[in-house]
Amino acid sequence: MRAGSNRIDVTVTDVVVVNELVKRFHFERTHGGILPTFSGGAHVVVEMRDEGKTRLNPYSLMSSPLDTRDYTISVRRDDAGRGGSLFMHREVKPGQRMVISNPVNLFSLDLRAKKHLMIAGGIGITPFMAQTAQLAGRGGNFELHYACRNDALATYADVLTARYDRRIHLYRDDHGEKLDLEKLLSTQPLGTYLYVCGPAGMIKWVRATAAEAGWPDETVHFEHFAAPQPGKPFDVRLAVSEVDIRVGEHESLLEAIEAAGLNPPYLCRGGVCGQCETNVISYDGKFLHNDHWLSEEDHRSGCKIMPCVSRFEGKSLTLER
Amino acid sequence: MGINFKQETFRDDFSFRNSPEQVRRFPFPFHEDGYMYSVNIEPHVPGAKNTVFEHLFDVDEHYVSEMHDRALVLAEDPLRCQSLPHMTLAGWDTLELLMTEKAKSYPEHFSLTRDGDKWHWVNRPLGIDDRFTFGDTSTLPYDPLEYITRQSQGDFAVLDQRDGNLWMDAGIVTTQADWSLDFDIGMNFFEWHAPVPLAHEMGVFKRALKFLMALQQGQPARRHNWTMTINPRLDTSPENYHKWGTDRTTVTPENVGDKVHLRVEIQMFFRLPRSNALLFPIRCYLIKMDELVTSPKWARRFHRVLRDLPPELAEYKGLVRYRPTVVEWLSKYDDGAPTSPGFGPD
Amino acid sequence: MSAASMLSRPVYGTLSPQAGKHHLLVADAEGAAAILDLAKNAPADFFAKAHIIYIPGASGPEYIDALKALNPERFYEGPSFAAALPRLRQTFDAAHMGTRLYIAGSEGLIGQVMQVAAEAGVDHASIQTEQRGSLARRVQCVHCKGITENVTTQPVKCSHCGLLLLVRDHYSRRYAAFQGVCINAEDPTDIPPTEEIFR
Ligand code: HEM
Ligand code: FES
């Protein structure tokens, strides 16, 4: 279940500056041929070799699932992050060879929907680029509401509007345009499914408003990959493999486990899929849970951790791994 | 060097039998002298030559006759092939997977030519030569799932993945071990498995579901299951149980060798790319007791498995009436010698 | 194969008021009592946004006044499920997201209203259900596919093809029915006694 066992060698064929924060990367198979077909909402994990360190970051595929001669992703530069996006922005150039995983979809369309209502914030637009292309190709009924800071940062708003015209609704902060979510949610036909991707605050707001308006949980889909946070270094004992490791400041626990030569399972590396869930055998200190997978109860219990995004501070930590 | 397709029947005069080569490649399902449910899932990678695992989708000497039997079942009962409206895309995914693999594995029998969405499919054993537009259902005589599975051995369930579960929203089922697709359509993983004894309590289904939900494209998996069938009947459906149920009372010590069959299902799991659905092919292999005992190890081992099978499993699999007769018959082939570990003959 | 272990069997709960813009409540016979119980915990404006569809059946007029006294926005009383069906379909067609569905009464009614709701795009997991009154089953004959209503005995004769059916606990939401399988297929001369068990 490791992306590592199912990797694709690709060559960067183009790097496009979309605006001051976002760059788009195009990948083709290094050895020729089309890339695997995928479904709208899927992501790939991109491997970055950065001065002896390997970083694996998930990015939503934004090209059309109907055309897999190349894959494209868009990366927003995050100056405060651990450097994955900075590496993509600074180091990755056309002609460069890279390795990506097979596509995995943790944010797929519910094809039973009579209508798909999509809400995007900022760079959260990328999975919708692929989903709208997929739906439009089959005459699907969708409507996209897209909030951004200003025209300059309305990434792909022009492309979407050109393609889908009035099905795209744009809300620019600096123009004082605001999405009236309550009203929008109250006028949707039965059988509508809601999808939201964007900053954590926006997802929370949309989910809460939808719940309040009587939208059942099953009809509300959201995607929010947590980015692994930098933090203080800490030591861990891996009891099953009998190794001691140190997790560096700019490294995730999962990456440190992999650096020790182990192959723990993962899919999303963003705290949402549940694959990397690991039992805690003993600990003395405090957990910094950043995942969206475990329940609050699990978090409090100190029995489980999601090594792709969560950290630890304290004297000792022993994991069943 | 093509496959030598046989003309035979799985009903009425039951002329089905395996050639000696086919007996040798039979996927004997017991790796030890006992059997209990477990999460027996392994990667589905192409295996050794002259085994049923040589290709991702095995085509064997019974292909043409099995497809004829499927056509007979569907003519009688069209409800054996169903697809809820949101599953059409998964149907196209299935068609692509089966055509591509068949053409790759058996170029002498199947060929596929793609020019964008204009496809040309040739199935020589069944005499089919069709040109169609991929994605356009009006260019095929059936919906894509039915079209391609009328040309593929084994049953197929297509599972939609949503809300943390798998949903049986499409399929074609004509060679089943007594379950009804028509009844199970729309159920989730736990619901369609509801009648299975013991396994829920053992946690088998919870763990299996977690694995399947994370299954990735390009990394198929497989498991096997088994039961027994009286006469080489492919369609042991609940729909027709009132017609074949009496077969179970016809077993005598004299006819065990010819009448009683071990039925093995190789079940596979594929993530489908466009729909994110899961394809579950269930390929059924039958072997007569007379054929089985040509391998001394298989004879000894199956005797022990059947003799010691937990009663709940024997009841669920419908073996209760004839198990003692078959165990008695098999005991003649079991001298008590130890068997070697693993699946293959000694 | 005890009922408790059959995971395809729906689990019915107790109706409770959900967040929502509109509420559609459908009940037959003693299901009305479940609506009256829900009313005890409902917010003050709940019934002002509610539509009640009630099929009194064997309960006769017993609950009608009490239901009307809840002052629902709309109230409909119908002679049978079949008679109420076109109205139910039309109600779903016109409904918006934010409409919550509550069904109470016999298992047959709950299942059949869920069928109509599913066609309209309502996810079954979002529906509030409560079983009240008769435990009689709808049974689908796996052989001829006909559905026999109001089954109270084990086994039961299929009202369409006449086979003697074992009523299983295996349940299909799509058919809103339990599965009936020929009980003496292996030995047709074996005719087990009939017992009244689903009441
Ligand atoms: C997702 C694909 C699967 C489908 C569509 C499927 C379908 C079924 C069906 C329809 C039955 C018959 C139930 C009945 O009596 O009505 C069955 C039986 C069973 N299934 Fe599955 N199954 C799947 C995956 C699995 C997996 C992954 C496991 C375990 C690891 C499993 C274990 C079993 C067992 C133990 C039985 C009882 C079989 C016997 O004793 O003959 N199934 N399955
Ligand atoms: S890898 Fe998905 S939750 Fe950790």
Short mmCIF file of all heavy atoms in Angstrom, two decimals, chain B residues 35 37-41 157 159 166 168 177-180 184 189 192-197 199 204-205 208-209 212 223 225-227 267 269 278 280 282 313 316-317, chain C residues 168 170, ligand 1:
data_model
loop_
_atom_site.label_atom_id
_atom_site.label_comp_id
_atom_site.label_asym_id
_atom_site.label_seq_id
_atom_site.Cartn_x
_atom_site.Cartn_y
_atom_site.Cartn_z
N TYR B 35 -9.44 -25.59 7.66
CA TYR B 35 -9.92 -24.35 7.05
C TYR B 35 -10.75 -23.54 8.03
O TYR B 35 -11.61 -24.06 8.73
CB TYR B 35 -10.76 -24.63 5.80
CG TYR B 35 -11.31 -23.36 5.19
CD1 TYR B 35 -10.48 -22.58 4.38
CD2 TYR B 35 -12.60 -22.93 5.44
CE1 TYR B 35 -10.94 -21.39 3.84
CE2 TYR B 35 -13.07 -21.74 4.90
CZ TYR B 35 -12.24 -20.98 4.10
OH TYR B 35 -12.70 -19.80 3.58
N TYR B 37 -12.24 -19.15 8.23
CA TYR B 37 -12.21 -17.82 7.60
C TYR B 37 -11.03 -17.02 8.10
O TYR B 37 -10.62 -17.13 9.26
CB TYR B 37 -13.49 -17.05 7.94
CG TYR B 37 -14.77 -17.62 7.36
CD1 TYR B 37 -15.96 -17.53 8.07
CD2 TYR B 37 -14.79 -18.24 6.12
CE1 TYR B 37 -17.14 -18.03 7.55
CE2 TYR B 37 -15.96 -18.75 5.59
CZ TYR B 37 -17.14 -18.65 6.31
OH TYR B 37 -18.31 -19.15 5.79
N SER B 38 -10.49 -16.17 7.22
CA SER B 38 -9.43 -15.26 7.63
C SER B 38 -9.39 -14.13 6.60
O SER B 38 -10.06 -14.20 5.58
CB SER B 38 -8.08 -15.99 7.63
OG SER B 38 -7.77 -16.39 6.31
N VAL B 39 -8.61 -13.09 6.90
CA VAL B 39 -8.46 -12.00 5.92
C VAL B 39 -7.39 -12.45 4.92
O VAL B 39 -6.26 -11.98 4.93
CB VAL B 39 -8.07 -10.67 6.59
CG1 VAL B 39 -8.15 -9.52 5.59
CG2 VAL B 39 -8.98 -10.37 7.77
N ASN B 40 -7.76 -13.41 4.08
CA ASN B 40 -6.78 -14.01 3.17
C ASN B 40 -6.67 -13.21 1.87
O ASN B 40 -7.12 -13.63 0.83
CB ASN B 40 -7.16 -15.47 2.88
CG ASN B 40 -8.60 -15.61 2.38
OD1 ASN B 40 -9.42 -14.71 2.57
ND2 ASN B 40 -8.91 -16.70 1.73
N ILE B 41 -6.07 -12.04 1.97
CA ILE B 41 -5.93 -11.20 0.78
C ILE B 41 -4.44 -11.09 0.43
O ILE B 41 -3.62 -10.90 1.32
CB ILE B 41 -6.47 -9.78 1.05
CG1 ILE B 41 -7.91 -9.87 1.56
CG2 ILE B 41 -6.41 -8.93 -0.21
CD1 ILE B 41 -8.54 -8.52 1.89
N ALA B 157 -18.93 -8.12 -9.52
CA ALA B 157 -19.69 -7.13 -8.76
C ALA B 157 -18.92 -5.82 -8.88
O ALA B 157 -17.69 -5.82 -8.89
CB ALA B 157 -19.79 -7.55 -7.30
N LEU B 159 -18.48 -2.16 -7.15
CA LEU B 159 -18.79 -1.50 -5.89
C LEU B 159 -18.49 -0.01 -5.95
O LEU B 159 -17.37 0.37 -6.32
CB LEU B 159 -17.95 -2.11 -4.74
CG LEU B 159 -18.05 -3.59 -4.42
CD1 LEU B 159 -19.45 -4.10 -4.60
CD2 LEU B 159 -17.06 -4.45 -5.11
N LEU B 166 -18.30 0.37 0.91
CA LEU B 166 -18.45 -0.05 -0.48
C LEU B 166 -19.91 -0.44 -0.68
O LEU B 166 -20.51 -1.06 0.20
CB LEU B 166 -17.55 -1.24 -0.77
CG LEU B 166 -16.05 -0.97 -0.69
CD1 LEU B 166 -15.26 -2.27 -0.72
CD2 LEU B 166 -15.61 -0.06 -1.84
N MET B 168 -22.77 -2.25 -3.29
CA MET B 168 -22.93 -3.12 -4.46
C MET B 168 -23.98 -2.53 -5.39
O MET B 168 -25.16 -2.83 -5.29
CB MET B 168 -23.32 -4.53 -4.02
CG MET B 168 -23.08 -5.52 -5.14
SD MET B 168 -23.63 -7.16 -4.77
CE MET B 168 -22.40 -7.73 -3.63
N ALA B 177 -22.31 -18.93 -5.94
CA ALA B 177 -22.56 -19.90 -4.88
C ALA B 177 -23.74 -19.39 -4.05
O ALA B 177 -23.58 -18.89 -2.94
CB ALA B 177 -21.32 -20.08 -4.03
N ASP B 178 -24.94 -19.48 -4.63
CA ASP B 178 -26.15 -19.26 -3.86
C ASP B 178 -26.32 -17.88 -3.23
O ASP B 178 -26.61 -17.77 -2.05
CB ASP B 178 -26.25 -20.36 -2.78
CG ASP B 178 -27.70 -20.58 -2.34
OD1 ASP B 178 -28.60 -19.97 -2.94
OD2 ASP B 178 -27.89 -21.35 -1.38
N TRP B 179 -26.10 -16.83 -3.99
CA TRP B 179 -26.50 -15.50 -3.50
C TRP B 179 -27.11 -14.71 -4.65
O TRP B 179 -26.84 -14.98 -5.81
CB TRP B 179 -25.33 -14.75 -2.87
CG TRP B 179 -24.22 -14.38 -3.80
CD1 TRP B 179 -23.23 -15.20 -4.23
CD2 TRP B 179 -23.99 -13.10 -4.43
NE1 TRP B 179 -22.39 -14.52 -5.10
CE2 TRP B 179 -22.84 -13.23 -5.23
CE3 TRP B 179 -24.64 -11.87 -4.38
CZ2 TRP B 179 -22.32 -12.18 -5.99
CZ3 TRP B 179 -24.11 -10.81 -5.13
CH2 TRP B 179 -22.97 -10.97 -5.92
N SER B 180 -27.96 -13.75 -4.30
CA SER B 180 -28.75 -13.06 -5.31
C SER B 180 -28.28 -11.63 -5.50
O SER B 180 -28.39 -10.81 -4.60
CB SER B 180 -30.22 -13.07 -4.90
OG SER B 180 -30.97 -12.18 -5.70
N ASP B 184 -29.23 -8.17 -3.46
CA ASP B 184 -28.14 -7.48 -2.75
C ASP B 184 -27.79 -6.10 -3.33
O ASP B 184 -27.04 -5.35 -2.71
CB ASP B 184 -26.88 -8.35 -2.75
CG ASP B 184 -26.99 -9.52 -1.76
OD1 ASP B 184 -28.07 -9.69 -1.18
OD2 ASP B 184 -26.00 -10.26 -1.58
N PHE B 189 -20.98 -3.21 2.27
CA PHE B 189 -20.10 -4.36 2.54
C PHE B 189 -20.60 -5.23 3.69
O PHE B 189 -20.58 -6.45 3.60
CB PHE B 189 -18.69 -3.82 2.83
CG PHE B 189 -17.61 -4.87 2.86
CD1 PHE B 189 -17.12 -5.42 1.70
CD2 PHE B 189 -17.07 -5.28 4.07
CE1 PHE B 189 -16.11 -6.37 1.72
CE2 PHE B 189 -16.06 -6.24 4.12
CZ PHE B 189 -15.58 -6.78 2.93
N TRP B 192 -24.29 -6.92 2.64
CA TRP B 192 -24.36 -8.10 1.76
C TRP B 192 -23.65 -9.29 2.38
O TRP B 192 -23.94 -10.43 2.05
CB TRP B 192 -23.89 -7.78 0.34
CG TRP B 192 -22.40 -7.74 0.11
CD1 TRP B 192 -21.53 -8.79 0.25
CD2 TRP B 192 -21.63 -6.62 -0.31
NE1 TRP B 192 -20.25 -8.36 -0.07
CE2 TRP B 192 -20.28 -7.05 -0.42
CE3 TRP B 192 -21.94 -5.29 -0.63
CZ2 TRP B 192 -19.25 -6.20 -0.79
CZ3 TRP B 192 -20.91 -4.46 -1.01
CH2 TRP B 192 -19.58 -4.91 -1.08
N HIS B 193 -22.72 -9.04 3.32
CA HIS B 193 -22.07 -10.15 4.01
C HIS B 193 -22.86 -10.61 5.24
O HIS B 193 -22.42 -11.52 5.94
CB HIS B 193 -20.66 -9.75 4.45
CG HIS B 193 -19.63 -9.90 3.37
ND1 HIS B 193 -18.81 -8.88 2.97
CD2 HIS B 193 -19.29 -10.98 2.60
CE1 HIS B 193 -18.02 -9.31 2.00
NE2 HIS B 193 -18.29 -10.56 1.75
N ALA B 194 -24.01 -10.01 5.50
CA ALA B 194 -24.75 -10.31 6.72
C ALA B 194 -24.98 -11.80 6.96
O ALA B 194 -24.82 -12.27 8.08
CB ALA B 194 -26.07 -9.54 6.73
N PRO B 195 -25.32 -12.59 5.93
CA PRO B 195 -25.63 -14.00 6.22
C PRO B 195 -24.41 -14.85 6.59
O PRO B 195 -24.58 -15.99 7.03
CB PRO B 195 -26.22 -14.51 4.89
CG PRO B 195 -26.63 -13.30 4.13
CD PRO B 195 -25.66 -12.23 4.54
N VAL B 196 -23.20 -14.36 6.40
CA VAL B 196 -22.01 -15.19 6.66
C VAL B 196 -21.83 -15.40 8.16
O VAL B 196 -21.83 -14.43 8.92
CB VAL B 196 -20.75 -14.53 6.06
CG1 VAL B 196 -19.51 -15.39 6.33
CG2 VAL B 196 -20.92 -14.28 4.57
N PRO B 197 -21.68 -16.66 8.62
CA PRO B 197 -21.52 -16.90 10.06
C PRO B 197 -20.09 -16.60 10.54
O PRO B 197 -19.15 -16.61 9.73
CB PRO B 197 -21.81 -18.39 10.19
CG PRO B 197 -21.38 -18.98 8.87
CD PRO B 197 -21.65 -17.91 7.84
N ALA B 199 -17.61 -14.85 10.78
CA ALA B 199 -16.58 -13.93 10.29
C ALA B 199 -16.75 -12.51 10.83
O ALA B 199 -15.77 -11.81 11.09
CB ALA B 199 -16.56 -13.92 8.77
N VAL B 204 -13.15 -10.10 10.69
CA VAL B 204 -12.64 -10.28 9.33
C VAL B 204 -13.12 -9.15 8.41
O VAL B 204 -12.35 -8.56 7.65
CB VAL B 204 -13.08 -11.65 8.76
CG1 VAL B 204 -12.87 -11.72 7.25
CG2 VAL B 204 -12.33 -12.78 9.45
N PHE B 205 -14.43 -8.84 8.48
CA PHE B 205 -14.98 -7.89 7.51
C PHE B 205 -14.52 -6.46 7.78
O PHE B 205 -14.30 -5.70 6.86
CB PHE B 205 -16.50 -8.01 7.47
CG PHE B 205 -16.95 -9.31 6.87
CD1 PHE B 205 -17.80 -10.16 7.56
CD2 PHE B 205 -16.48 -9.70 5.63
CE1 PHE B 205 -18.19 -11.37 7.00
CE2 PHE B 205 -16.86 -10.91 5.07
CZ PHE B 205 -17.72 -11.75 5.75
N ALA B 208 -11.01 -6.28 6.42
CA ALA B 208 -10.99 -6.42 4.97
C ALA B 208 -11.48 -5.12 4.31
O ALA B 208 -10.91 -4.66 3.33
CB ALA B 208 -11.86 -7.59 4.54
N LEU B 209 -12.53 -4.53 4.87
CA LEU B 209 -13.07 -3.30 4.28
C LEU B 209 -12.02 -2.19 4.32
O LEU B 209 -11.83 -1.46 3.34
CB LEU B 209 -14.34 -2.85 5.01
CG LEU B 209 -14.93 -1.54 4.51
CD1 LEU B 209 -15.35 -1.65 3.05
CD2 LEU B 209 -16.13 -1.10 5.35
N LEU B 212 -9.67 -2.72 1.53
CA LEU B 212 -10.23 -2.49 0.20
C LEU B 212 -10.43 -1.01 -0.10
O LEU B 212 -10.24 -0.55 -1.22
CB LEU B 212 -11.56 -3.22 0.05
CG LEU B 212 -11.48 -4.74 0.09
CD1 LEU B 212 -12.86 -5.35 -0.05
CD2 LEU B 212 -10.57 -5.26 -1.01
N ARG B 223 -8.22 -12.92 -3.35
CA ARG B 223 -8.37 -13.90 -2.29
C ARG B 223 -9.12 -15.07 -2.91
O ARG B 223 -9.52 -15.01 -4.07
CB ARG B 223 -9.13 -13.34 -1.09
CG ARG B 223 -10.59 -13.03 -1.38
CD ARG B 223 -11.29 -12.43 -0.17
NE ARG B 223 -11.46 -13.40 0.88
CZ ARG B 223 -12.53 -14.20 1.01
NH1 ARG B 223 -13.51 -14.16 0.14
NH2 ARG B 223 -12.63 -15.06 2.01
N ASN B 225 -12.18 -18.28 -2.19
CA ASN B 225 -13.21 -18.85 -1.35
C ASN B 225 -13.58 -20.18 -1.99
O ASN B 225 -13.21 -20.45 -3.12
CB ASN B 225 -14.41 -17.91 -1.28
CG ASN B 225 -15.43 -18.41 -0.29
OD1 ASN B 225 -15.08 -18.87 0.79
ND2 ASN B 225 -16.71 -18.36 -0.65
N TRP B 226 -14.26 -21.03 -1.26
CA TRP B 226 -14.61 -22.33 -1.84
C TRP B 226 -15.94 -22.80 -1.29
O TRP B 226 -16.39 -22.38 -0.23
CB TRP B 226 -13.53 -23.37 -1.51
CG TRP B 226 -13.51 -23.71 -0.04
CD1 TRP B 226 -12.91 -23.01 0.95
CD2 TRP B 226 -14.16 -24.82 0.59
NE1 TRP B 226 -13.13 -23.60 2.16
CE2 TRP B 226 -13.89 -24.72 1.97
CE3 TRP B 226 -14.94 -25.89 0.13
CZ2 TRP B 226 -14.39 -25.64 2.91
CZ3 TRP B 226 -15.42 -26.81 1.06
CH2 TRP B 226 -15.14 -26.68 2.43
N THR B 227 -16.56 -23.70 -2.04
CA THR B 227 -17.71 -24.43 -1.55
C THR B 227 -17.79 -25.71 -2.37
O THR B 227 -16.81 -26.09 -3.02
CB THR B 227 -19.00 -23.59 -1.62
OG1 THR B 227 -20.06 -24.34 -1.01
CG2 THR B 227 -19.40 -23.23 -3.04
N GLN B 267 -11.26 -14.57 -6.24
CA GLN B 267 -11.92 -13.27 -6.19
C GLN B 267 -10.85 -12.19 -6.28
O GLN B 267 -9.84 -12.27 -5.59
CB GLN B 267 -12.67 -13.13 -4.87
CG GLN B 267 -13.58 -14.31 -4.57
CD GLN B 267 -14.27 -14.19 -3.23
OE1 GLN B 267 -13.80 -13.48 -2.34
NE2 GLN B 267 -15.38 -14.90 -3.07
N PHE B 269 -9.70 -7.90 -6.75
CA PHE B 269 -10.09 -6.52 -6.41
C PHE B 269 -9.29 -5.56 -7.28
O PHE B 269 -8.06 -5.60 -7.25
CB PHE B 269 -9.80 -6.22 -4.95
CG PHE B 269 -10.35 -7.25 -4.00
CD1 PHE B 269 -9.56 -8.30 -3.56
CD2 PHE B 269 -11.65 -7.18 -3.56
CE1 PHE B 269 -10.05 -9.26 -2.70
CE2 PHE B 269 -12.16 -8.14 -2.69
CZ PHE B 269 -11.36 -9.18 -2.25
N LEU B 278 -14.77 0.03 -7.25
CA LEU B 278 -13.95 -1.17 -7.07
C LEU B 278 -14.59 -2.28 -7.90
O LEU B 278 -15.79 -2.50 -7.81
CB LEU B 278 -13.93 -1.55 -5.59
CG LEU B 278 -12.81 -2.45 -5.12
CD1 LEU B 278 -11.53 -1.63 -4.98
CD2 LEU B 278 -13.17 -3.05 -3.76
N PHE B 280 -14.93 -6.29 -8.59
CA PHE B 280 -14.75 -7.53 -7.85
C PHE B 280 -15.11 -8.71 -8.76
O PHE B 280 -16.25 -9.16 -8.76
CB PHE B 280 -15.66 -7.48 -6.62
CG PHE B 280 -15.55 -8.68 -5.70
CD1 PHE B 280 -14.39 -8.94 -5.00
CD2 PHE B 280 -16.63 -9.52 -5.50
CE1 PHE B 280 -14.30 -10.03 -4.13
CE2 PHE B 280 -16.56 -10.62 -4.63
CZ PHE B 280 -15.38 -10.86 -3.96
N ILE B 282 -15.30 -12.52 -9.69
CA ILE B 282 -15.35 -13.78 -8.93
C ILE B 282 -15.27 -14.90 -9.95
O ILE B 282 -16.24 -15.21 -10.63
CB ILE B 282 -16.68 -13.90 -8.16
CG1 ILE B 282 -16.99 -12.62 -7.41
CG2 ILE B 282 -16.62 -15.10 -7.21
CD1 ILE B 282 -18.45 -12.49 -7.04
N LEU B 313 -19.85 -23.54 9.27
CA LEU B 313 -19.44 -23.34 7.88
C LEU B 313 -20.10 -24.38 6.97
O LEU B 313 -20.55 -24.05 5.87
CB LEU B 313 -17.91 -23.40 7.74
CG LEU B 313 -17.20 -22.05 7.90
CD1 LEU B 313 -17.35 -21.49 9.31
CD2 LEU B 313 -15.72 -22.17 7.54
N TYR B 316 -23.66 -23.26 6.47
CA TYR B 316 -23.76 -22.09 5.60
C TYR B 316 -23.49 -22.47 4.14
O TYR B 316 -24.16 -21.99 3.22
CB TYR B 316 -22.77 -21.02 6.06
CG TYR B 316 -22.68 -19.85 5.11
CD1 TYR B 316 -23.68 -18.88 5.07
CD2 TYR B 316 -21.61 -19.73 4.23
CE1 TYR B 316 -23.62 -17.83 4.18
CE2 TYR B 316 -21.54 -18.68 3.34
CZ TYR B 316 -22.53 -17.73 3.31
OH TYR B 316 -22.47 -16.70 2.42
N LYS B 317 -22.52 -23.35 3.92
CA LYS B 317 -22.16 -23.73 2.56
C LYS B 317 -23.11 -24.78 1.97
O LYS B 317 -22.95 -25.16 0.81
CB LYS B 317 -20.72 -24.25 2.52
CG LYS B 317 -19.65 -23.16 2.75
CD LYS B 317 -18.25 -23.78 2.81
CE LYS B 317 -17.19 -22.78 3.28
NZ LYS B 317 -16.81 -21.80 2.25
N ARG C 168 -36.27 -15.12 5.63
CA ARG C 168 -34.95 -14.87 6.22
C ARG C 168 -34.91 -13.49 6.87
O ARG C 168 -35.78 -12.65 6.63
CB ARG C 168 -33.86 -14.93 5.14
CG ARG C 168 -33.75 -16.27 4.47
CD ARG C 168 -32.65 -16.26 3.42
NE ARG C 168 -31.32 -16.32 4.02
CZ ARG C 168 -30.19 -16.05 3.35
NH1 ARG C 168 -30.24 -15.67 2.09
NH2 ARG C 168 -29.02 -16.14 3.95
N HIS C 170 -32.41 -11.58 6.17
CA HIS C 170 -31.67 -10.79 5.17
C HIS C 170 -32.66 -9.80 4.53
O HIS C 170 -33.71 -10.20 4.04
CB HIS C 170 -31.10 -11.76 4.14
CG HIS C 170 -29.93 -11.21 3.37
ND1 HIS C 170 -29.11 -10.22 3.85
CD2 HIS C 170 -29.41 -11.55 2.14
CE1 HIS C 170 -28.16 -9.96 2.96
NE2 HIS C 170 -28.31 -10.76 1.92
C1 HEM D 1 -15.67 -6.15 -2.04
C2 HEM D 1 -15.85 -7.26 -2.61
C3 HEM D 1 -16.65 -8.41 -2.06
C4 HEM D 1 -17.88 -8.79 -2.48
C5 HEM D 1 -18.72 -8.13 -3.56
C6 HEM D 1 -18.26 -9.94 -1.71
C7 HEM D 1 -19.46 -10.60 -1.85
C8 HEM D 1 -19.85 -11.68 -1.11
C9 HEM D 1 -21.15 -12.31 -1.18
C10 HEM D 1 -22.29 -11.83 -2.08
C11 HEM D 1 -21.17 -13.36 -0.34
C12 HEM D 1 -22.34 -14.30 -0.09
C13 HEM D 1 -23.14 -13.83 1.11
C14 HEM D 1 -24.48 -14.54 1.24
O1 HEM D 1 -24.51 -15.63 1.82
O2 HEM D 1 -25.49 -14.00 0.78
C15 HEM D 1 -19.87 -13.41 0.28
C16 HEM D 1 -19.47 -14.36 1.19
C17 HEM D 1 -18.27 -14.29 1.89
N1 HEM D 1 -17.32 -13.29 1.80
FE1 HEM D 1 -17.29 -11.76 0.50
N2 HEM D 1 -17.26 -10.24 -0.84
C18 HEM D 1 -16.25 -9.33 -1.01
C19 HEM D 1 -15.07 -9.26 -0.34
C20 HEM D 1 -14.73 -10.11 0.69
C21 HEM D 1 -13.51 -10.02 1.44
C22 HEM D 1 -12.41 -9.01 1.21
C23 HEM D 1 -13.56 -11.02 2.37
C24 HEM D 1 -12.58 -11.44 3.45
C25 HEM D 1 -11.37 -11.17 3.56
C26 HEM D 1 -14.79 -11.74 2.18
C27 HEM D 1 -15.18 -12.83 2.90
C28 HEM D 1 -16.31 -13.59 2.68
C29 HEM D 1 -16.60 -14.84 3.35
C30 HEM D 1 -15.73 -15.51 4.40
C31 HEM D 1 -17.83 -15.28 2.84
C32 HEM D 1 -18.52 -16.60 3.19
C33 HEM D 1 -18.19 -17.56 2.09
C34 HEM D 1 -18.42 -19.03 2.34
O3 HEM D 1 -18.22 -19.54 3.44
O4 HEM D 1 -18.74 -19.71 1.35
N3 HEM D 1 -15.48 -11.16 1.15
N4 HEM D 1 -19.09 -12.37 -0.20
#
